[in-house]
Amino acid sequence: MDTHTLDVGDAVIAYDVHGPDPAPGDRPLLAIGQPMDATGFRSLAAQLPERRVVAYDPRGIGRSTRRDGRTDHDPQVQAADVHALIGALGGPVDLLASSGGAVTALALVAAHPGDVHVLVAHEPPLIGELPDAAAARRAWREMREVYEAKGHGAGMAAFIALTSWSGEFTDDYFAAGPPDPAAFGLPTDDDGARDDPLLSDRSASVLTFVPDAAALAAAPTRVLIAVGEETGDALTARTARALAARLGREFVLFPSHHGGFAGGEFGHPGDPAGFAARLRTVLDGG
């Protein structure tokens, strides 16, 4: 693995390059997440030794720095960064994009349709796509209120409860109240920080983004909306399926859960070998 940086004017983007140089006619695989950085794709890259795999840190996250005076994580801004990175890599790529990175990727394909040959958009958390969008927004808002009031441990426990809830957000969900962070092995003390990109309002524009269906339909990119087999009816599986339905596309099942491509980097291992095998198939047109 080699690490490089790309200066895009108001930010410096760090990215890792795994594997061999692409053969003539082959495209690199670019992997993007948000708020996850490039480290989350290392297990997957190890399962694809035959491919050039590039993973990046979004601006303001991990090793990527920003000097634009902003702290929010806007999909349109990040899409411009990814467009610049694809240019630096020499042209069109295949793109695996997960969670908030999938939202960035949908914005990228709409704005720069020639950048991506195949997009696998894995569980984009677009709560506006849901039939119970108002209740989902309330649930997300209450999670953020717990974080603002009590800090990271309590906020993360509320986040786990939110993202693991199966089905629509009913009165039963709201009646349960915020869970005890100790039940998840999380700290109960407050460290005072309120800048977590997952729990704060800094990623609000990711959740509320509305993909441009007409632009995606007009793009030459083959757009695949992916859902983890183990995600069931939890939030990000429902948002992905709802988006696929609005775009008039079938969703594609992938092994494991929301982080199914990852190894043990974040404490909840997926199935990177199975995920890589499925990815090979869909990138080859299967």
Side-chain angles (χ1 to χ4, degrees):
M1 184 188 80
D2 296 320
T3 297
H4 305 265
T5 58
L6 176 67
D7 193 323
V8 295
D10 58 358
V12 177
I13 305 301
Y15 62 99
D16 297 333
V17 178
H18 306 258
D21 291 335
D26 288 347
R27 293 173 300 276
L29 172 65
L30 178 59
I32 64 174
Q34 201 281 321
M36 188 185 71
D37 62 22
T39 61
F41 292 104
R42 289 180 180 174
S43 292
L44 179 67
Q47 297 292 330
L48 297 166
E50 76 283 3
R51 292 209 59 156
R52 167 62 54 90
V53 178
V54 180
Y56 94 132
D57 295 356
R59 65 167 60 199
I61 293 175
R63 300 156 298 175
S64 292
T65 58
R66 63 193 307 173
R67 43 180 181 261
D68 57 0
R70 296 171 60 168
T71 60
D72 63 314
H73 302 290
D74 183 274
Q76 303 283 11
V77 173
Q78 293 188 355
D81 291 341
V82 177
H83 172 63
L85 176 56
I86 291 171
L89 296 174
V93 298
D94 290 333
L95 180 56
L96 168 65
S98 181
S99 196
V103 180
T104 295
L106 292 164
L108 170 72
V109 170
H112 304 285
D115 279 1
V116 181
H117 183 69
V118 181
L119 165 62
V120 178
H122 185 252
E123 299 195 5
L126 296 165
I127 58 178
E129 302 290 336
L130 296 173
D132 58 326
R137 292 188 189 99
R138 175 188 170 190
W140 191 269
R141 183 173 63 252
E142 291 187 2
M143 180 277 296
R144 284 175 43 202
E145 289 170 354
V146 170
Y147 173 62
E148 292 296 333
K150 298 182 179 180
H152 185 271
M156 183 57 71
F159 177 82
I160 293 170
L162 169 76
T163 55
S164 60
W165 181 261
S166 182
E168 296 192 2
F169 291 98
T170 62
D171 290 342
D172 288 342
Y173 173 84
F174 295 106
D180 180 1
F184 299 99
L186 294 165
T188 57
D189 57 327
D190 185 351
D191 64 4
R194 296 294 186 273
D195 58 355
D196 189 292
L198 191 65
L199 305 178
S200 68
D201 64 353
R202 296 185 175 192
S203 296
S205 58
V206 175
L207 304 173
T208 58
F209 183 77
V210 179
D212 186 334
L216 292 172
T221 307
R222 185 160 62 98
V223 177
L224 305 172
I225 309 300
V227 180
E229 293 174 337
E230 296 174 15
T231 313
D233 285 324
L235 178 65
T236 54
R238 293 201 301 125
T239 57
R241 290 196 295 261
L243 174 64
R246 182 168 72 84
L247 297 180
R249 301 168 188 266
E250 296 290 332
F251 62 87
V252 181
L253 283 175
F254 268 70
S256 197
H257 48 66
H258 187 64
F261 49 83
E265 296 92 340
F266 300 101
H268 185 30
D271 178 11
F275 196 100
R278 183 70 170 130
L279 185 60
R280 281 192 189 95
T281 299
V282 301
L283 293 179
D284 290 341

